[in-house]
Amino acid sequence: MPDRFCCLPAAVRGTLVLLFALQVIFAAIGCSKDDEQHVHEPGTHGGIIVSVGQDHYHAEALFSEGKLRLYMLDQDQAKVIDIEQQELQAFLRPFGDAQSYPITLIPEPQEGDGPDRTSLFVGTLPSGMKAGQLLVNVPMIRINGERYRFSFATAEPVMPAKVTSDAERQLYLTPGGRYTDADIAANGSVTASEKFADFVSSHDMHPEPGARICPITNTVANPDCGWIIGGQEYLFCCPPCVDEFLKRAKEEPESVLDAAAYVK
């Protein structure tokens, strides 16, 4: 309480102390609410707003006409910024695909950008690739002398439907393709529903480099959701993905990579 209030009557001082305390409490509550409600608005061009450097900057990612466009934005997403001209490398991985596809994003300065600076980068998507469900990683971008990396997904991964009843027993308890009798025994001669009866799924769409990933969704793999196929343990995000991958291993064995390949 400020010293200038010391000469006031005790009742008045008490009231002011109470009001001062309430002001401090409400200010603290207000700050916490602002933090919780920090939500990215849709991009001006209809693209995806992406955080760069823990919200130091942003980019709007727009997929159209077979191209990826990155519009550079400030911490305030309503402000366009121009940054150093540079070529950016981006790596695109479709959900369910173990392979990443590199593209180069070329600076395309817009009106109002400064000399040797740009607010837009454009790259051509690989032939036949659609933007429906992609994981995109930009390992390095230079902004005002600082280097950042960022990644984003174009949509939530679509989880496969669970195989049930007799179809599930047929899938898990009969060999085929890369799936052998030895694998069935190694997995305990049970189905995924039986083995993972108490399993709680959790999907992390942002695996760190070097992390094991689910072969179906490319999300972070759970070490408690593994299945032996071809003598190797594959890790998944949830039991329905085990179903989907095992069907692939039996029906299209040539499409299944070694377990070590499914890493971010």
Side-chain angles (χ1 to χ4, degrees), residues 164-250:
T164 58
S165 64
D166 292 341
E168 184 185 31
R169 299 194 67 80
Q170 177 70 21
L171 175 65
Y172 282 93
L173 302 182
T174 61
R178 295 189 61 166
Y179 195 53
T180 67
D181 285 318
D183 296 333
I184 295 172
N187 290 312
S189 297
V190 294
T191 66
S193 291
E194 293 167 334
K195 183 174 180 178
F196 304 119
D198 299 322
F199 185 85
V200 177
S201 299
S202 177
H203 298 101
D204 183 347
M205 296 179 59
H206 303 288
E208 295 292 330
R212 294 283 295 273
I213 59 173
C214 174
I216 299 300
T217 64
N218 282 343
T219 59
V220 175
N222 190 320
D224 295 326
C225 191
W227 205 262
I228 305 297
I229 299 172
Q232 303 178 56
E233 184 181 34
Y234 293 82
L235 299 182
F236 303 87
C237 61
C238 61
C241 287
V242 185
D243 297 349
E244 186 71 17
F245 191 74
L246 182 53
K247 284 191 289 185
R248 184 184 301 177
K250 294 178 74 173

Coordinates of all heavy atoms in Angstrom, one line a residue, residues 164-250:
T164 N -13.3 -56.2 -36.1 CA -14.0 -56.9 -35.0 C -14.3 -58.3 -35.3 O -14.3 -58.8 -36.4 CB -15.3 -56.1 -34.6 OG1 -16.1 -56.1 -35.7 CG2 -14.9 -54.7 -34.2
S165 N -14.7 -59.0 -34.2 CA -15.3 -60.4 -34.2 C -14.4 -61.4 -35.0 O -13.2 -61.4 -34.9 CB -16.7 -60.3 -34.7 OG -16.8 -59.9 -36.1
D166 N -15.1 -62.2 -35.8 CA -14.4 -63.2 -36.6 C -13.4 -62.7 -37.5 O -12.3 -63.4 -37.7 CB -15.5 -64.1 -37.3 CG -16.4 -64.9 -36.4 OD1 -16.0 -65.1 -35.2 OD2 -17.5 -65.3 -36.9
A167 N -13.6 -61.6 -38.1 CA -12.7 -61.0 -39.0 C -11.3 -60.7 -38.3 O -10.3 -60.8 -38.9 CB -13.2 -59.7 -39.7
E168 N -11.4 -60.2 -37.1 CA -10.2 -59.9 -36.3 C -9.5 -61.2 -36.0 O -8.2 -61.2 -36.1 CB -10.6 -59.2 -35.0 CG -9.4 -58.8 -34.2 CD -9.7 -58.2 -32.9 OE1 -10.7 -58.6 -32.3 OE2 -8.9 -57.3 -32.4
R169 N -10.1 -62.3 -35.6 CA -9.4 -63.5 -35.3 C -8.8 -64.1 -36.6 O -7.7 -64.6 -36.5 CB -10.4 -64.5 -34.7 CG -11.0 -64.1 -33.4 CD -11.7 -65.2 -32.6 NE -10.7 -66.2 -32.2 CZ -9.9 -66.0 -31.1 NH1 -10.0 -64.9 -30.4 NH2 -9.0 -66.9 -30.7
Q170 N -9.5 -64.0 -37.7 CA -8.9 -64.4 -39.0 C -7.6 -63.6 -39.3 O -6.6 -64.1 -39.8 CB -9.9 -64.3 -40.1 CG -9.4 -64.6 -41.5 CD -9.2 -66.1 -41.6 OE1 -9.7 -67.0 -40.9 NE2 -8.4 -66.5 -42.6
L171 N -7.7 -62.3 -39.0 CA -6.6 -61.4 -39.4 C -5.4 -61.8 -38.5 O -4.2 -61.9 -39.0 CB -7.0 -60.0 -39.1 CG -5.9 -58.9 -39.3 CD1 -5.4 -58.9 -40.7 CD2 -6.4 -57.5 -38.9
Y172 N -5.6 -61.9 -37.2 CA -4.4 -62.1 -36.3 C -4.0 -63.5 -36.1 O -2.8 -63.7 -35.7 CB -4.8 -61.5 -34.9 CG -4.8 -60.0 -34.9 CD1 -5.9 -59.2 -35.2 CD2 -3.6 -59.3 -34.7 CE1 -5.8 -57.8 -35.2 CE2 -3.5 -57.9 -34.7 CZ -4.6 -57.2 -34.9 OH -4.6 -55.8 -35.0
L173 N -4.8 -64.5 -36.3 CA -4.4 -65.8 -35.9 C -4.2 -66.7 -37.1 O -4.0 -68.0 -36.9 CB -5.5 -66.4 -35.0 CG -5.8 -65.6 -33.7 CD1 -6.9 -66.3 -32.9 CD2 -4.5 -65.4 -32.9
T174 N -4.1 -66.1 -38.3 CA -3.7 -66.9 -39.5 C -2.5 -66.2 -40.1 O -2.5 -65.0 -40.2 CB -4.8 -67.1 -40.5 OG1 -5.3 -65.8 -40.9 CG2 -6.0 -67.8 -39.8
P175 N -1.5 -67.0 -40.6 CA -0.4 -66.3 -41.2 C -0.7 -65.9 -42.7 O -1.7 -66.3 -43.3 CB 0.7 -67.5 -41.2 CG -0.1 -68.7 -41.3 CD -1.4 -68.4 -40.5
G176 N 0.2 -65.0 -43.2 CA 0.0 -64.6 -44.6 C 1.0 -63.5 -44.9 O 1.3 -62.7 -44.0
G177 N 1.5 -63.4 -46.1 CA 2.4 -62.4 -46.5 C 3.7 -62.4 -45.6 O 4.4 -63.4 -45.4
R178 N 3.9 -61.3 -44.9 CA 5.1 -61.2 -44.0 C 4.8 -61.7 -42.6 O 5.6 -61.7 -41.7 CB 5.6 -59.7 -43.9 CG 6.1 -59.2 -45.2 CD 6.8 -57.8 -45.0 NE 7.9 -57.9 -44.1 CZ 8.8 -56.9 -44.0 NH1 8.7 -55.8 -44.8 NH2 9.8 -57.0 -43.2
Y179 N 3.5 -62.0 -42.4 CA 3.1 -62.4 -41.0 C 3.1 -64.0 -40.9 O 2.4 -64.7 -41.7 CB 1.6 -61.9 -40.8 CG 1.1 -62.0 -39.4 CD1 1.9 -61.4 -38.4 CD2 -0.1 -62.6 -39.1 CE1 1.4 -61.4 -37.1 CE2 -0.6 -62.6 -37.8 CZ 0.2 -62.0 -36.8 OH -0.3 -62.0 -35.5
T180 N 3.9 -64.5 -40.0 CA 4.2 -65.9 -39.9 C 3.6 -66.5 -38.7 O 3.1 -65.8 -37.7 CB 5.7 -66.1 -39.9 OG1 6.2 -65.6 -38.7 CG2 6.4 -65.5 -41.1
D181 N 3.6 -67.9 -38.6 CA 3.2 -68.6 -37.4 C 4.0 -68.2 -36.2 O 3.5 -68.1 -35.1 CB 3.3 -70.1 -37.7 CG 2.1 -70.6 -38.6 OD1 1.0 -70.2 -38.4 OD2 2.4 -71.5 -39.5
A182 N 5.3 -68.0 -36.5 CA 6.2 -67.6 -35.4 C 5.8 -66.2 -34.8 O 5.9 -66.0 -33.6 CB 7.7 -67.5 -35.9
D183 N 5.4 -65.3 -35.7 CA 4.9 -64.0 -35.3 C 3.6 -64.2 -34.4 O 3.5 -63.5 -33.3 CB 4.6 -63.1 -36.5 CG 5.8 -62.8 -37.3 OD1 6.9 -62.8 -36.8 OD2 5.6 -62.5 -38.5
I184 N 2.7 -65.0 -34.8 CA 1.5 -65.3 -34.1 C 1.8 -65.7 -32.6 O 1.3 -65.2 -31.7 CB 0.6 -66.3 -34.8 CG1 0.1 -65.7 -36.1 CG2 -0.6 -66.7 -33.9 CD1 -0.6 -66.7 -37.0
A185 N 2.8 -66.7 -32.6 CA 3.2 -67.2 -31.3 C 3.9 -66.1 -30.4 O 3.6 -66.0 -29.2 CB 4.1 -68.4 -31.4
A186 N 4.7 -65.3 -31.1 CA 5.4 -64.3 -30.4 C 4.5 -63.2 -29.8 O 4.8 -62.6 -28.8 CB 6.5 -63.6 -31.3
N187 N 3.4 -63.0 -30.5 CA 2.4 -62.0 -30.0 C 1.4 -62.6 -29.0 O 0.5 -61.9 -28.6 CB 1.6 -61.5 -31.2 CG 2.4 -60.6 -32.1 OD1 3.1 -59.7 -31.6 ND2 2.4 -60.8 -33.4
G188 N 1.6 -63.9 -28.6 CA 0.8 -64.5 -27.6 C -0.4 -65.2 -28.1 O -1.3 -65.6 -27.3
S189 N -0.5 -65.4 -29.4 CA -1.7 -66.1 -30.0 C -3.0 -65.4 -29.6 O -4.0 -66.1 -29.3 CB -1.7 -67.6 -29.7 OG -0.5 -68.2 -30.2
V190 N -3.0 -64.1 -29.6 CA -4.2 -63.3 -29.3 C -4.4 -62.2 -30.4 O -3.5 -62.0 -31.2 CB -4.0 -62.6 -27.9 CG1 -3.9 -63.7 -26.8 CG2 -2.8 -61.7 -27.9
T191 N -5.5 -61.6 -30.3 CA -5.8 -60.5 -31.2 C -5.4 -59.2 -30.5 O -5.2 -59.1 -29.3 CB -7.3 -60.4 -31.5 OG1 -8.1 -60.1 -30.3 CG2 -7.8 -61.8 -32.1
A192 N -5.4 -58.1 -31.3 CA -5.1 -56.8 -30.7 C -6.1 -56.4 -29.7 O -5.8 -55.8 -28.6 CB -5.0 -55.8 -31.8
S193 N -7.4 -56.7 -29.9 CA -8.4 -56.4 -28.9 C -8.2 -57.0 -27.6 O -8.4 -56.5 -26.5 CB -9.8 -56.7 -29.4 OG -10.2 -55.9 -30.5
E194 N -7.7 -58.3 -27.6 CA -7.4 -59.0 -26.4 C -6.2 -58.5 -25.7 O -6.1 -58.3 -24.5 CB -7.3 -60.5 -26.7 CG -8.6 -61.2 -27.2 CD -8.3 -62.5 -27.8 OE1 -7.2 -62.8 -28.3 OE2 -9.3 -63.3 -27.7
K195 N -5.1 -58.2 -26.5 CA -3.9 -57.8 -25.9 C -4.0 -56.4 -25.4 O -3.4 -56.0 -24.3 CB -2.7 -57.8 -27.0 CG -1.4 -57.5 -26.4 CD -0.3 -57.7 -27.5 CE 1.1 -57.3 -26.9 NZ 2.2 -57.5 -27.9
F196 N -4.7 -55.5 -26.1 CA -4.8 -54.1 -25.7 C -6.2 -53.7 -25.1 O -6.7 -52.6 -25.3 CB -4.5 -53.2 -26.9 CG -3.1 -53.5 -27.5 CD1 -3.1 -53.9 -28.8 CD2 -2.0 -53.3 -26.8 CE1 -1.8 -54.2 -29.4 CE2 -0.7 -53.6 -27.4 CZ -0.7 -54.0 -28.7
A197 N -6.7 -54.6 -24.3 CA -8.1 -54.4 -23.8 C -8.2 -53.1 -23.0 O -9.2 -52.4 -23.0 CB -8.5 -55.6 -23.0
D198 N -7.1 -52.8 -22.2 CA -7.1 -51.6 -21.4 C -6.3 -50.4 -21.9 O -6.0 -49.5 -21.2 CB -6.5 -52.0 -20.0 CG -7.4 -53.1 -19.3 OD1 -8.6 -53.0 -19.4 OD2 -6.8 -54.0 -18.7
F199 N -6.0 -50.5 -23.2 CA -5.1 -49.5 -23.8 C -5.9 -48.2 -24.0 O -7.1 -48.2 -24.4 CB -4.6 -50.0 -25.1 CG -3.6 -49.0 -25.8 CD1 -2.3 -49.1 -25.5 CD2 -4.0 -48.1 -26.7 CE1 -1.3 -48.2 -26.0 CE2 -3.1 -47.2 -27.3 CZ -1.8 -47.3 -27.0
V200 N -5.3 -47.0 -23.6 CA -5.9 -45.7 -23.8 C -5.1 -45.0 -24.9 O -3.9 -44.8 -24.7 CB -5.9 -44.9 -22.5 CG1 -6.4 -43.5 -22.8 CG2 -6.6 -45.6 -21.4
S201 N -5.7 -44.7 -26.0 CA -5.0 -44.0 -27.1 C -4.8 -42.6 -26.8 O -5.6 -41.9 -26.2 CB -5.9 -44.1 -28.4 OG -6.1 -45.5 -28.7
S202 N -3.6 -42.1 -27.3 CA -3.3 -40.7 -27.3 C -2.4 -40.3 -28.5 O -1.4 -41.0 -28.8 CB -2.5 -40.4 -26.0 OG -2.1 -39.0 -26.0
H203 N -2.8 -39.4 -29.3 CA -2.2 -39.1 -30.5 C -1.4 -37.8 -30.5 O -2.0 -36.7 -30.3 CB -3.2 -39.1 -31.7 CG -3.9 -40.4 -31.9 ND1 -5.2 -40.6 -31.4 CD2 -3.5 -41.5 -32.4 CE1 -5.5 -41.9 -31.7 NE2 -4.5 -42.4 -32.3
D204 N -0.1 -37.9 -30.6 CA 0.8 -36.7 -30.6 C 1.2 -36.5 -32.1 O 2.0 -37.3 -32.7 CB 2.0 -37.0 -29.7 CG 2.9 -35.8 -29.7 OD1 2.8 -34.9 -30.5 OD2 3.8 -35.8 -28.8
M205 N 0.8 -35.4 -32.7 CA 1.0 -35.2 -34.1 C 2.4 -34.5 -34.4 O 2.7 -34.2 -35.5 CB -0.1 -34.3 -34.7 CG -1.5 -35.0 -34.7 SD -2.7 -33.9 -35.3 CE -2.1 -33.6 -37.0
H206 N 3.2 -34.3 -33.4 CA 4.4 -33.6 -33.5 C 5.6 -34.4 -33.0 O 6.2 -34.0 -32.0 CB 4.3 -32.2 -32.9 CG 3.2 -31.4 -33.3 ND1 3.2 -30.8 -34.6 CD2 2.0 -31.1 -32.8 CE1 2.0 -30.1 -34.7 NE2 1.3 -30.3 -33.7
P207 N 6.0 -35.5 -33.7 CA 7.1 -36.2 -33.2 C 8.4 -35.5 -33.4 O 8.6 -34.7 -34.4 CB 7.1 -37.5 -34.1 CG 6.3 -37.1 -35.3 CD 5.3 -36.1 -34.9
E208 N 9.3 -35.6 -32.5 CA 10.6 -35.0 -32.6 C 11.5 -35.8 -33.5 O 11.3 -37.0 -33.7 CB 11.3 -34.9 -31.2 CG 10.6 -34.0 -30.2 CD 10.7 -32.6 -30.6 OE1 11.7 -32.2 -31.2 OE2 9.7 -31.8 -30.3
P209 N 12.5 -35.2 -34.1 CA 13.4 -36.0 -35.0 C 14.0 -37.2 -34.2 O 14.5 -37.0 -33.1 CB 14.5 -35.0 -35.3 CG 13.8 -33.7 -35.3 CD 12.8 -33.8 -34.1
G210 N 14.0 -38.4 -34.9 CA 14.5 -39.6 -34.2 C 13.5 -40.4 -33.5 O 13.8 -41.5 -33.1
A211 N 12.3 -39.8 -33.3 CA 11.3 -40.6 -32.6 C 10.6 -41.6 -33.5 O 10.5 -41.5 -34.7 CB 10.2 -39.6 -32.1
R212 N 10.2 -42.8 -32.8 CA 9.5 -43.8 -33.6 C 8.1 -43.3 -33.9 O 7.5 -42.6 -33.0 CB 9.4 -45.1 -32.7 CG 10.7 -45.8 -32.4 CD 11.2 -46.6 -33.6 NE 10.3 -47.7 -33.9 CZ 10.3 -48.9 -33.4 NH1 11.2 -49.2 -32.4 NH2 9.5 -49.9 -33.7
I213 N 7.6 -43.6 -35.1 CA 6.3 -43.1 -35.5 C 5.4 -44.2 -35.9 O 5.9 -45.3 -36.3 CB 6.4 -42.1 -36.7 CG1 7.1 -42.7 -37.9 CG2 7.1 -40.8 -36.2 CD1 7.1 -41.8 -39.1
C214 N 4.1 -44.0 -35.8 CA 3.1 -45.0 -36.2 C 3.2 -45.1 -37.8 O 3.1 -44.1 -38.5 CB 1.8 -44.6 -35.8 SG 0.4 -45.7 -36.4
P215 N 3.3 -46.3 -38.3 CA 3.4 -46.5 -39.8 C 2.1 -46.0 -40.5 O 2.1 -45.8 -41.7 CB 3.6 -48.0 -40.0 CG 4.1 -48.5 -38.7 CD 3.5 -47.6 -37.6
I216 N 1.0 -45.9 -39.8 CA -0.3 -45.6 -40.5 C -0.5 -44.1 -40.4 O -0.9 -43.5 -41.4 CB -1.4 -46.3 -39.8 CG1 -1.3 -47.8 -40.0 CG2 -2.8 -45.9 -40.4 CD1 -1.2 -48.3 -41.4
T217 N -0.3 -43.4 -39.3 CA -0.7 -42.0 -39.1 C 0.5 -41.1 -39.0 O 0.3 -39.9 -39.1 CB -1.5 -41.8 -37.8 OG1 -0.7 -42.1 -36.7 CG2 -2.8 -42.7 -37.8
N218 N 1.7 -41.6 -38.9 CA 2.9 -40.8 -38.7 C 2.9 -40.0 -37.4 O 3.6 -39.0 -37.3 CB 3.1 -39.9 -39.9 CG 3.7 -40.6 -41.1 OD1 4.2 -41.7 -40.9 ND2 3.6 -40.0 -42.3
T219 N 2.0 -40.3 -36.5 CA 2.0 -39.7 -35.2 C 3.0 -40.4 -34.3 O 3.6 -41.4 -34.7 CB 0.6 -39.7 -34.6 OG1 0.2 -41.1 -34.4 CG2 -0.4 -38.9 -35.4
V220 N 3.3 -39.9 -33.1 CA 4.2 -40.5 -32.2 C 3.8 -41.9 -31.8 O 2.6 -42.1 -31.4 CB 4.4 -39.7 -30.9 CG1 5.4 -40.4 -30.0 CG2 5.0 -38.3 -31.3
A221 N 4.6 -42.9 -32.0 CA 4.3 -44.3 -31.7 C 4.4 -44.5 -30.2 O 5.2 -43.9 -29.5 CB 5.2 -45.3 -32.4
N222 N 3.5 -45.4 -29.7 CA 3.4 -45.7 -28.3 C 4.2 -47.0 -28.0 O 3.8 -48.0 -28.6 CB 2.0 -45.8 -27.8 CG 1.8 -45.9 -26.3 OD1 2.6 -46.6 -25.6 ND2 0.8 -45.3 -25.8
P223 N 5.2 -47.0 -27.2 CA 6.0 -48.2 -26.9 C 5.1 -49.4 -26.3 O 5.6 -50.5 -26.3 CB 7.1 -47.8 -25.9 CG 6.6 -46.5 -25.3 CD 5.7 -45.9 -26.4
D224 N 4.0 -49.0 -25.8 CA 3.1 -50.1 -25.2 C 2.1 -50.6 -26.3 O 1.2 -51.4 -25.9 CB 2.3 -49.5 -24.1 CG 3.2 -49.1 -22.9 OD1 4.2 -49.8 -22.7 OD2 2.8 -48.1 -22.2
C225 N 2.2 -50.2 -27.5 CA 1.3 -50.6 -28.6 C 2.2 -51.2 -29.7 O 2.2 -50.6 -30.8 CB 0.4 -49.5 -29.1 SG -0.9 -50.0 -30.1
G226 N 2.9 -52.3 -29.4 CA 3.7 -52.9 -30.4 C 3.2 -54.3 -30.9 O 2.4 -54.9 -30.2
W227 N 3.6 -54.7 -32.1 CA 3.2 -56.0 -32.7 C 4.3 -56.5 -33.5 O 5.0 -55.8 -34.3 CB 1.9 -55.8 -33.6 CG 1.1 -57.1 -33.6 CD1 1.1 -58.0 -34.6 CD2 0.2 -57.6 -32.6 NE1 0.3 -59.0 -34.3 CE2 -0.3 -58.8 -33.1 CE3 -0.2 -57.1 -31.4 CZ2 -1.2 -59.5 -32.3 CZ3 -1.1 -57.8 -30.7 CH2 -1.6 -59.0 -31.1
I228 N 4.5 -57.8 -33.4 CA 5.6 -58.5 -34.1 C 5.1 -58.9 -35.5 O 4.1 -59.6 -35.6 CB 6.1 -59.8 -33.3 CG1 6.5 -59.4 -31.9 CG2 7.2 -60.4 -34.1 CD1 7.7 -58.4 -31.8
I229 N 5.8 -58.5 -36.5 CA 5.5 -58.9 -37.9 C 6.8 -59.1 -38.6 O 7.7 -58.3 -38.6 CB 4.7 -57.7 -38.6 CG1 3.4 -57.4 -37.9 CG2 4.5 -58.1 -40.1 CD1 2.6 -56.2 -38.4
G230 N 6.9 -60.3 -39.2 CA 8.2 -60.6 -39.9 C 9.3 -60.7 -38.9 O 10.5 -60.4 -39.3
G231 N 9.1 -61.0 -37.6 CA 10.2 -61.1 -36.7 C 10.6 -59.8 -36.1 O 11.6 -59.7 -35.3
Q232 N 10.0 -58.7 -36.5 CA 10.3 -57.3 -36.0 C 9.1 -56.7 -35.3 O 8.0 -56.9 -35.6 CB 10.7 -56.4 -37.2 CG 11.8 -56.9 -38.1 CD 12.0 -56.0 -39.3 OE1 12.3 -54.8 -39.1 NE2 12.0 -56.5 -40.5
E233 N 9.5 -55.9 -34.3 CA 8.4 -55.2 -33.5 C 8.1 -53.9 -34.1 O 9.0 -53.0 -34.2 CB 8.8 -55.1 -32.0 CG 7.6 -54.5 -31.3 CD 7.9 -54.2 -29.8 OE1 9.1 -53.9 -29.5 OE2 7.0 -54.4 -29.0
Y234 N 6.9 -53.7 -34.6 CA 6.5 -52.4 -35.1 C 5.6 -51.7 -34.0 O 4.9 -52.4 -33.2 CB 5.6 -52.6 -36.3 CG 6.4 -53.1 -37.5 CD1 6.6 -54.4 -37.7 CD2 6.8 -52.2 -38.5 CE1 7.3 -54.9 -38.8 CE2 7.5 -52.7 -39.6 CZ 7.8 -54.0 -39.7 OH 8.5 -54.5 -40.8
L235 N 5.8 -50.4 -33.8 CA 5.1 -49.6 -32.8 C 4.0 -48.8 -33.5 O 4.2 -48.2 -34.6 CB 6.0 -48.7 -32.0 CG 7.1 -49.5 -31.2 CD1 8.0 -48.5 -30.5 CD2 6.5 -50.5 -30.3
F236 N 2.9 -48.6 -32.8 CA 1.7 -47.9 -33.3 C 1.2 -46.9 -32.3 O 1.5 -46.9 -31.1 CB 0.6 -48.9 -33.7 CG 1.1 -50.0 -34.7 CD1 1.7 -51.1 -34.3 CD2 1.0 -49.7 -36.1 CE1 2.2 -52.1 -35.2 CE2 1.4 -50.7 -37.0 CZ 2.0 -51.9 -36.5
C237 N 0.3 -46.0 -32.8 CA -0.3 -45.1 -31.9 C -1.6 -45.6 -31.2 O -1.9 -45.2 -30.1 CB -0.7 -43.8 -32.6 SG -1.9 -44.0 -34.0
C238 N -2.2 -46.6 -31.8 CA -3.5 -47.2 -31.3 C -3.7 -48.5 -31.9 O -3.3 -48.8 -33.0 CB -4.6 -46.2 -31.5 SG -5.0 -45.9 -33.2
P239 N -4.5 -49.4 -31.3 CA -4.8 -50.7 -31.9 C -5.4 -50.8 -33.3 O -5.1 -51.6 -34.1 CB -5.8 -51.3 -30.8 CG -5.4 -50.7 -29.5 CD -5.0 -49.3 -29.9
P240 N -6.4 -49.8 -33.6 CA -6.9 -49.9 -35.0 C -5.8 -49.8 -36.1 O -5.9 -50.3 -37.2 CB -7.8 -48.7 -35.1 CG -8.3 -48.5 -33.7 CD -7.1 -48.8 -32.8
C241 N -4.7 -49.1 -35.7 CA -3.6 -48.9 -36.7 C -2.8 -50.3 -36.8 O -2.2 -50.6 -37.9 CB -2.6 -47.8 -36.3 SG -3.3 -46.2 -36.5
V242 N -2.8 -51.1 -35.8 CA -2.2 -52.4 -35.8 C -3.0 -53.2 -36.8 O -2.5 -53.9 -37.7 CB -2.2 -53.1 -34.5 CG1 -1.5 -54.4 -34.6 CG2 -1.5 -52.2 -33.4
D243 N -4.3 -53.2 -36.8 CA -5.2 -53.9 -37.7 C -4.8 -53.5 -39.2 O -4.6 -54.3 -40.0 CB -6.7 -53.5 -37.5 CG -7.2 -53.9 -36.1 OD1 -6.5 -54.7 -35.4 OD2 -8.3 -53.5 -35.8
E244 N -4.8 -52.2 -39.4 CA -4.6 -51.7 -40.8 C -3.2 -52.1 -41.3 O -3.1 -52.5 -42.5 CB -4.7 -50.2 -40.7 CG -4.6 -49.5 -42.1 CD -5.9 -49.8 -43.0 OE1 -6.9 -50.2 -42.4 OE2 -5.8 -49.6 -44.2
F245 N -2.2 -52.0 -40.4 CA -0.9 -52.3 -40.9 C -0.7 -53.8 -41.1 O 0.0 -54.3 -42.0 CB 0.2 -51.8 -39.9 CG 1.6 -51.9 -40.4 CD1 2.1 -51.0 -41.3 CD2 2.5 -52.9 -39.9 CE1 3.4 -51.0 -41.8 CE2 3.8 -52.9 -40.3 CZ 4.2 -52.0 -41.3
L246 N -1.3 -54.6 -40.2 CA -1.2 -56.1 -40.4 C -1.9 -56.5 -41.7 O -1.4 -57.4 -42.4 CB -1.8 -56.8 -39.2 CG -1.8 -58.3 -39.2 CD1 -0.3 -58.8 -39.4 CD2 -2.3 -58.9 -37.9
K247 N -3.0 -55.9 -42.0 CA -3.7 -56.2 -43.3 C -2.8 -55.9 -44.5 O -2.7 -56.7 -45.4 CB -5.0 -55.4 -43.4 CG -6.2 -56.0 -42.6 CD -7.5 -55.3 -43.0 CE -7.5 -53.9 -42.5 NZ -8.9 -53.3 -42.7
R248 N -2.1 -54.8 -44.4 CA -1.1 -54.4 -45.4 C 0.0 -55.4 -45.5 O 0.4 -55.8 -46.6 CB -0.6 -53.0 -45.1 CG 0.3 -52.5 -46.2 CD 0.9 -51.1 -45.8 NE -0.2 -50.1 -45.6 CZ 0.1 -48.9 -45.1 NH1 1.4 -48.5 -44.9 NH2 -0.9 -48.0 -44.9
A249 N 0.5 -55.8 -44.3 CA 1.6 -56.8 -44.3 C 1.3 -58.1 -44.9 O 2.1 -58.8 -45.5 CB 2.1 -57.0 -42.9
K250 N 0.0 -58.5 -44.8 CA -0.5 -59.8 -45.3 C -0.9 -59.7 -46.8 O -0.6 -60.6 -47.6 CB -1.6 -60.3 -44.5 CG -1.3 -60.7 -43.0 CD -2.5 -61.1 -42.2 CE -2.9 -62.5 -42.6 NZ -4.0 -63.1 -41.7

